[in-house]
């Protein structure tokens, strides 16, 4: 099939590259000429493991526009506007300019309830995306499930054929339920993270063993082992935005749990600064920071907890020296983890990059002026860090 993908962000580019791998003729469209030129040279406009290798597929092409396709897929962003509502400008542009060029119009962008049923096209499909940054290719090629919302039998058959090679259950439903299934999944994940963060904080205040508590939850198959890592709060371009979006579409008497998860996350991002302040006055201190991106294996800084944390540290009069293997931030000025440690009064771990697990803790301690290490992602064994001469504080540890 000839598939036109509109929008070359994470969802668009990864979906396009994966569908091309299955033999479809895929054209990726973006109005940003610089991005298209980069892609034509085989370079990805962002860091995502395994993506660049898939871009050299001859089935895959890149352009600013196209004439006709069997399927047009909308993969543009739906950011929050200043009032917390979903900004549908990019989606509406796609519908207006490109929907009529395809026999089928597939919405992959996360859109508010009721958006798809208003599209004037005989074959509209809502097919939400559940991929994570950092493992986007694997998530796309091996999805847990595929959700297809459509009210046309022809579209249902086409989607069944498109996803034939994927070994995953397909849930066919109506448009609004498919739209909601995306919000519900991200809202649940956000809630799970806020839940574990609050239990970590509670363990700390009561002197309970958080690692053992975590284990006792993870072995319960009804709860499951994933998304139970305590930390500095969830960030990224999706969980915070989608939580805000579902709340903005609801009545104030709906979703008490989600409102709590959102509030808990805002508080969690400040906890690490409070922890540091409990150890030292911050004015004039140099704080080394390892990790800026919102999660490992991405250079994405959107809604990264590090942004708020660094701002709070600066407001308290501290200076920062930061290192991240990829994070696209003005603060990412150190060449390696040890440079961030050099002469620092304290060290904060804000992203769990694999590289940080292997650093020489004794060397890090020797380079530092102070001895405080706050492990905002619980990546270290507290005993090992203490043995290297640090005053160790984790999240719940
Ligand atoms: C999230 C969802 O996991 C995807 O299913 C969804 O498709 C995507 O949003 C989207 O809507 O496009 P993503 O934002 O890439 O994916 O990253 P996650 O792995 O969900 O992590 C989000 C945040 O939660 C990160 O800041 C991460 O550090 C934090 N997190 C995650 C924790 O603090 N603890 C955990 O146990 C897991």
């Amino acid at each position: 099939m000839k598939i036109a993908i509109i929008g070359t962000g994470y969802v668009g580019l990864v979906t396009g590259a994966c569908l091309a791998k299955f033999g479809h003729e895929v054209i990726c469209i973006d109005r940003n000429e610089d991005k298209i030129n980069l892609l034509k040279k085989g370079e990805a406009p962002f860091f995502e493991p395994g993506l660049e290798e898939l871009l050299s597929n001859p089935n895959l092409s890149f352009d600013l526009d196209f004439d006709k396709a069997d399927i047009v897929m909308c993969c543009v962003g739906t950011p929050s506007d200043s009032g917390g509502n979903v900004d549908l400008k990019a989606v509406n542009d796609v519908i207006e300019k490109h929907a009529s060029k395809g026999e089928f119009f597939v919405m992959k962008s996360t859109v508010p309830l009721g958006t798809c049923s208003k599209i004037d096209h005989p074959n509209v499909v809502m097919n939400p995306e559940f991929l994570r940054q950092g493992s986007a290719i694997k998530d796309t090629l091996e999805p847990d499930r595929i959700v297809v919302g459509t009210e046309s039998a022809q579209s249902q058959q086409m989607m069944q054929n498109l996803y034939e090679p994927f070994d995953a259950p397909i849930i066919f439903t109506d448009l609004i339920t498919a739209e909601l299934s995306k919000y519900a999944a991200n809202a649940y994940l956000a809630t799970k993270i806020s839940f574990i963060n609050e239990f970590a904080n509670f363990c700390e205040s009561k002197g309970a063993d958080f690692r053992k508590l975590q284990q006792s939850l993870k072995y319960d198959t009804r709860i499951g082992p994933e998304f139970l890592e305590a930390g500095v709060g969830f960030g990224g371009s999706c969980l915070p935005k989608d939580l805000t979006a579902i709340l903005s579409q609801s009545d104030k008497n709906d979703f008490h749990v989600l409102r709590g998860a959102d509030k808990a996350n805002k508080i969690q991002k400040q906890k690490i600064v409070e922890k540091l302040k409990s150890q030292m006055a911050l004015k004039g201190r140099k704080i080394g920071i390892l990790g800026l991106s919102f999660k490992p294996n991405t250079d994405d800084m959107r809604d990264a907890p590090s942004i708020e944390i660094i701002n709070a540290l600066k407001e308290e009069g501290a200076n920062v020296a930061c290192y991240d293997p990829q994070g696209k931030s003005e603060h990412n000025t150190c060449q390696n983890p040890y440079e961030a440690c050099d002469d620092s009064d304290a060290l904060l771990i804000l992203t769990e990059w694999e590289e940080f697990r292997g650093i020489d803790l004794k060397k890090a301690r020797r380079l530092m002026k102070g001895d405080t290490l706050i492990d905002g992602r619980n990546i270290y064994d507290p005993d090992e860090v203490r043995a290297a001469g640090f005053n160790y504080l984790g999240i719940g540890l």
Side-chain angles (χ1 to χ4, degrees), residues 37-264:
N37 288 338
L38 206 63
L39 286 162
K40 280 183 172 169
K41 285 191 274 171
E43 288 172 42
F46 49 82
F47 175 70
E48 177 64 38
L51 179 59
E52 242 165 41
E53 289 86 312
L54 293 181
L55 294 183
S56 51
N57 187 332
N59 295 333
L60 195 56
S61 62
F62 306 95
D63 219 324
L64 295 167
D65 207 348
F66 71 107
D67 287 333
K68 268 202 164 324
D70 299 310
I71 306 172
V72 173
M73 285 190 175
C74 176
C75 300
V76 295
T78 50
S80 294
D81 67 16
S82 51
N85 296 309
V86 182
D87 179 353
L88 280 177
K89 198 174 169 314
V91 165
N92 287 335
D93 275 359
V94 172
I95 296 170
E96 195 183 311
K97 287 198 194 114
H98 302 298
S100 61
K101 297 184 206 166
E103 192 183 344
F104 298 94
F105 183 71
V106 177
M107 180 66 75
K108 285 193 85 67
S109 305
T110 303
V111 289
L113 310 187
T115 304
C116 290
S117 61
K118 286 194 215 124
I119 301 171
D120 181 18
H121 192 288
N123 292 308
V124 178
V125 176
M126 176 66 201
N127 175 212
E129 183 50 63
F130 300 105
L131 63 81
R132 289 164 294 180
Q133 289 175 223
S135 56
I137 306 286
K138 185 174 185 297
D139 290 347
T140 304
L141 294 174
E142 298 164 34
D144 291 338
R145 78 318 204 169
I146 292 161
V147 175
V148 173
T150 182
E151 279 140 34
S152 112
Q154 213 188 336
S155 302
Q156 179 164 333
Q157 189 56 55
M158 180 280 291
M159 292 301 278
Q160 177 100 55
N161 296 345
L162 183 69
Y163 284 119
E164 189 71 52
F166 292 76
D167 182 22
I170 305 182
I171 300 155
F172 288 105
T173 181
D174 54 20
L175 291 168
I176 194 168
T177 310
E179 287 165 343
L180 187 56
S181 68
K182 170 63 190 231
Y183 284 119
N186 275 358
Y188 182 79
L189 295 171
T191 304
K192 204 172 176 191
I193 299 166
S194 279
F195 166 90
I196 200 66
N197 282 338
E198 290 208 305
F199 267 93
N201 301 338
F202 200 61
C203 280
E204 250 174 64
S205 70
K206 296 290 176 194
D209 186 334
F210 175 61
R211 288 262 197 243
K212 297 289 174 193
L213 178 95
Q214 231 180 348
Q215 264 183 352
S216 82
L217 292 171
K218 287 183 176 184
Y219 279 116
D220 187 322
T221 51
R222 294 165 303 172
I223 298 172
E226 291 192 52
F227 275 70
L228 283 177
E229 297 310 325
V232 290
F234 57 80
S237 65
C238 305
L239 299 194
K241 168 189 75 99
D242 289 350
L243 200 51
T244 306
I246 190 70
L247 291 177
S248 76
Q249 292 169 64
S250 67
D251 186 83
K252 70 174 186 318
N253 291 318
D254 298 326
F255 296 133
H256 298 292
V257 172
L258 302 188
R259 282 174 214 284
D262 189 33
K263 189 172 172 192

Side-chain angles (χ1 to χ4, degrees), residues 356-376:
F356 304 154
R357 296 180 201 269
I359 66 169
D360 179 342
L361 289 166
K362 286 195 177 133
K363 178 175 171 188
R365 174 67 193 91
R366 272 198 310 277
L367 288 167
M368 284 172 60
K369 189 156 62 173
D371 67 354
T372 297
L373 187 154
I374 304 190
D375 183 358

